Amino acid sequence: MPPDYAEALAVAGTDVPGRTTPAAVYKSRSFVRSAPIRSRFPVHAMAFHPRRSPLAIGTGRYDGGYFFEGELILPHLKTGVVTSLIEHELGRQVLGLEWLDEHSLHVLMAPPDDWRDEAAHKDGHVAVAHLSDWTAVLAHSLNGRDLAGPRAPAPRPDPREAAQRAVAKLRSVWQAQRPVPSKDL
C-alpha cells in the first residue's frame, strides 16, 4: 500500500432507508478524512489493495421480493471518484472481499435472485476477479463470467434482529422521556 494509506482506516456508516450510506477513509495518525464516499446500498465489506491505493467496497441488499442487488465499487482515494465495477444494471449484493495478491480480489456475493432457491438467503457465490491493474479498471467491466464461482456459505444478519434492537432502543428512549409521576402529589 502507498505510504499515504499505510495506516488508513476505512469506516462505513449505518444504512438509512431512502438515503445513501456514507463511508470514508481516515488517516489513522491524524484522523483526517481523506476520501468521503457515498454508496446507494448498505456497505458489507471493505478491503485495501495490498500495494496500491484502491479500496474495494462491497455493498448491497435484498430488494424484499426477488433480487439481491448491490455494487462492487472502487473509490479513487485522492479524487473521490467512485467506479462501480459490476456490469449488470442491478449488480450483485457483495458480502465479503479479500485481496489475495495485487491482481486478484476474492469476492463473496449473494446469488443474483432467490427464484426457486431456498438457500439463497444463507448461501452465496465465491469468485476471484483478476485484473492486471486495478487502478485503471473501467466502470461496469466485471461481467457474469468474471463473477462466476462455486456456491459457499454466506450467512446474512436477519433484518428482524436489527428491527427488534431498534424498537428496543426507541422504547428505552421513550421510557426515559416519559414524565415520572411524583409520589409527593
Side-chain angles (χ1 to χ4, degrees):
M1 179 174 295
D4 290 353
Y5 296 99
E7 295 183 14
L9 174 67
V11 179
T14 55
D15 179 48
V16 176
R19 302 177 95 185
T20 59
T21 301
V25 175
Y26 292 88
K27 294 181 180 179
S28 62
R29 290 186 187 260
S30 63
F31 296 106
V32 171
R33 184 176 69 180
S34 59
I37 302 154
R38 295 262 173 213
S39 169
R40 296 183 306 142
F41 303 102
V43 174
H44 296 286
M46 294 189 277
F48 282 103
H49 189 275
R51 296 203 191 332
R52 299 191 179 182
S53 63
L55 168 69
I57 300 176
T59 72
R61 69 172 168 244
Y62 178 63
D63 73 354
Y66 187 69
F67 295 110
F68 295 93
E69 53 192 2
E71 294 181 294
L72 172 56
I73 57 177
L74 287 180
H76 187 282
L77 298 180
K78 291 187 178 173
T79 65
V81 173
V82 176
T83 303
S84 181
L85 301 182
I86 299 174
E87 177 184 58
H88 192 274
E89 67 185 64
L90 295 177
R92 293 279 293 274
Q93 183 182 22
V94 178
L95 302 167
L97 296 168
E98 178 184 3
W99 290 98
L100 302 176
D101 58 42
E102 64 182 284
H103 303 290
S104 305
L105 180 62
H106 179 269
V107 183
L108 174 63
M109 298 161 291
D113 58 58
D114 62 358
W115 174 252
R116 296 185 182 183
D117 187 354
E118 293 180 24
H121 294 270
K122 60 183 179 190
D123 285 351
H125 297 263
V126 175
V128 177
H130 300 278
L131 290 173
S132 59
D133 184 0
W134 284 89
T135 61
V137 65
L138 299 175
H140 309 292
S141 60
L142 295 180
N143 61 35
R145 279 190 314 269
D146 298 318
L147 299 174
R151 193 100 177 184
R156 266 90 78 199
D158 185 346
R160 292 174 293 192
E161 292 172 11
Q164 289 170 343
R165 284 192 304 274
V167 168
K169 184 176 180 179
L170 288 171
R171 186 175 291 133
S172 69
V173 168
W174 181 76
Q175 297 266 343
Q177 293 179 351
R178 285 180 52 200
V180 177
S182 173
K183 293 183 179 183
D184 297 333
L185 295 177

